Amino acid sequence: MSAVPPEPPEPPESAEPEGARSPGAPPDGTDDGRADRESLLSVARLVSPTEERNPRTTDLDLLPSADVVRLIMEEDAGVASVVRAERFRVTQAVELAVAAIRAGGRVHYVGAGTSGRLGVLDAVELAPTYGVGSEWFDAHLAGGPDAMTVSVEGAEDDAATGRRDLDHVGPHDLVVGLAASGRTPYVGGALELARERGARTALVSANPSAPLAVGVDVAILLDTGPEAITGSTRMKAATAQKIVLNTFSTATMVRLGKTYSNLMVDVRATNAKLRARLVRLLSQATGLEPEVCAPVLAEAGGEVQVALVMLLAGVDVAAARRSMAGDGGVRGALARLGAAPAR
């Protein structure tokens, strides 16, 4: 009589039937999906104040339009004071930007979603207002230019792309990370690369405990608190970032001589309205009639700063252009010519 072969041992209770696997696990049975889930849970625990529920707006969907508007505006009302509390650090960032540009470097904005779009908007608007393009301010948006108008899924989670998009950064540059949550991987990758290249770095975030603040030269952390709509950082967080960017870039332009008094003197006149504005600007700056200013502006080839130096110093166009070669904008040119500026 032949021996009965032993029965195979019972599989442990935790074992899965042959061919079964966890959702997302690869065919070889190794559960890489578990690592993804753990990573997701880890991120979920890093709650920014903007993602907390706002106790003042929990009944928002039950209210009439007037009360919805009132509550949203009441939340917005405190944004300016939050930004004002960070004015010292905004000042530090301005000084870094001025130093970077004077050294031949550039300011780079880098961000994703609303934060990144605000950076693009700020950089683009410097061209018509101050005659400054990407040679001074450049913006990098996760997902590229298309992400200005459509959502590019997953772009903000890619730290490697953040590094790649900033690959041309040099030691004289300033990289400003824009991240409402303070933990966007795309921004983190860009800031990491910037530090490796010896560039200076700054962060603008609506999270006072932003992980990306570690290691940056200047961290502008805006405690805007929970949004009226939980997690909708296009609201208070974005408003605060916009005020910071307006202040930061405008102050940088003022320090670099792109204004005379409080007048924009490097506007690009691309239409009739702007050309008329330039004549009026020259009249405001000098106290002279528009009829006097217009032909001088034409002689200066539409260059407002040159025309202004001509009018204030009484010199010809060649002398005015030579005097503009140094730093200090119009005031620096007038000082070199020994002319007193208008008050």
Side-chain angles (χ1 to χ4, degrees):
M1 185 173 180
S2 59
V4 178
E7 294 184 1
E10 291 290 329
E13 291 183 5
S14 59
E16 296 175 336
E18 185 178 352
R21 57 190 178 91
S22 301
D28 62 6
T30 59
D31 192 0
D32 286 350
R34 181 181 302 170
D36 290 342
R37 289 193 296 275
E38 290 174 354
S39 175
L40 183 63
L41 288 172
S42 176
V43 171
R45 294 186 189 105
L46 298 172
V47 178
S48 168
T50 60
E51 295 161 355
E52 297 282 2
R53 289 192 72 186
N54 190 327
R56 296 177 294 276
T57 61
T58 52
D59 294 331
L60 199 67
D61 61 332
L62 302 176
L63 300 176
S65 298
D67 287 334
V68 173
V69 170
R70 174 181 57 80
L71 280 176
I72 291 172
M73 289 188 171
E74 285 176 357
E75 291 297 312
D76 286 343
V79 170
S81 61
V82 168
V83 175
R84 193 179 304 116
E86 289 294 295
R87 62 188 180 277
F88 174 69
R89 279 161 286 277
V90 175
T91 301
Q92 289 180 312
V94 170
E95 291 299 310
L96 289 180
V98 170
I101 292 169
R102 283 181 173 163
R106 292 190 289 176
V107 175
H108 297 267
Y109 292 142
V110 56
T114 299
S115 298
R117 293 183 189 104
L118 289 173
V120 173
L121 181 64
D122 194 74
V124 167
E125 288 182 343
L126 295 179
T129 309
Y130 298 108
V132 168
S134 59
E135 73 280 1
W136 278 16
F137 275 73
D138 202 3
H140 311 271
L141 176 61
D146 288 347
M148 278 299 290
T149 55
V150 297
S151 176
V152 180
E153 298 297 334
E156 68 178 67
D157 295 332
D158 193 343
T161 300
R163 293 178 61 91
R164 187 163 58 249
D165 286 355
L166 272 289
D167 188 53
H168 54 294
V169 163
H172 298 304
D173 292 344
L174 168 66
V175 176
V176 181
L178 307 171
S181 68
R183 60 174 185 263
T184 309
Y186 176 82
V187 176
L191 291 172
E192 180 182 59
L193 178 73
R195 287 191 289 269
E196 291 173 7
R197 297 286 176 81
R200 307 302 293 271
T201 56
L203 176 72
V204 182
S205 174
N207 182 357
S209 302
L212 291 180
V214 178
V216 300
D217 294 298
V218 179
I220 301 168
L221 305 179
L222 307 158
D223 192 2
T224 52
E227 297 286 3
I229 303 296
T230 306
S232 180
T233 53
R234 60 183 289 270
M235 302 183 79
K236 289 190 298 184
T239 300
Q241 287 183 89
K242 183 71 168 74
I243 296 173
V244 167
L245 291 176
N246 278 352
T247 305
F248 166 71
S249 59
T250 300
T252 300
M253 294 297 100
V254 171
R255 295 279 287 111
L256 290 170
K258 290 292 185 177
T259 63
Y260 175 76
S261 181
N262 61 353
L263 301 170
M264 298 182 293
V265 291
D266 217 353
V267 177
R268 293 180 181 175
T270 55
N271 55 47
K273 181 186 74 174
L274 287 178
R275 285 191 289 273
R277 181 185 295 176
L278 298 188
V279 173
R280 185 165 62 253
L281 183 154
L282 289 172
S283 181
Q284 291 172 323
T286 63
L288 300 171
E289 294 298 320
E291 292 78 12
V292 176
C293 298
V296 175
L297 180 62
E299 187 179 353
E303 297 178 53
V304 182
Q305 294 192 63
V306 173
L308 188 52
V309 171
M310 292 170 67
L311 290 164
L312 292 176
V315 297
D316 62 21
V317 65
R321 283 211 172 93
R322 284 196 299 272
S323 72
M324 290 293 301
D327 291 333
V330 171
R331 291 191 187 274
L334 294 174
R336 285 185 282 275
L337 290 168
R343 297 184 67 84

